[in-house]
Amino acid sequence: AAAERGCLNTKGLFRLGLMFANGDGTPVDMDKAAEWMRKAVLNNWPPESAQQARDWLTARQLEVDLA
């Protein structure tokens, strides 16, 4: 996938996380969803999408681990 090759777009990363969370074209996998949400937070461009990912993680009481 483009995201794995370093072609990062926070909005795309956020949407990919939602796909895993909702089982849209893939089995539901909340661990993968959280992984992609964290990548979106780290990428931080555009910042609005990074904030959406941060909010998604926080709403589920998941760490926004940036280390």
Side-chain angles (χ1 to χ4, degrees):
E4 292 169 341
R5 291 191 308 267
C7 302
L8 301 179
N9 172 291
T10 300
K11 190 172 187 175
L13 297 173
F14 172 72
R15 287 183 177 174
L16 186 56
L18 286 180
M19 289 176 69
F20 278 106
N22 299 327
D24 185 12
T26 182
V28 172
D29 186 333
M30 296 306 285
D31 291 331
K32 282 278 190 193
E35 175 186 335
W36 287 108
M37 293 298 181
R38 289 185 183 106
K39 289 179 182 185
V41 171
L42 280 170
N43 192 51
N44 200 35
W45 189 259
E48 298 83 14
S49 295
Q51 186 60 51
Q52 286 179 306
R54 189 177 288 106
D55 293 345
W56 186 92
L57 289 163
T58 302
R60 286 151 187 81
Q61 298 179 351
L62 298 171
E63 285 186 42
V64 182
D65 187 357
L66 301 177

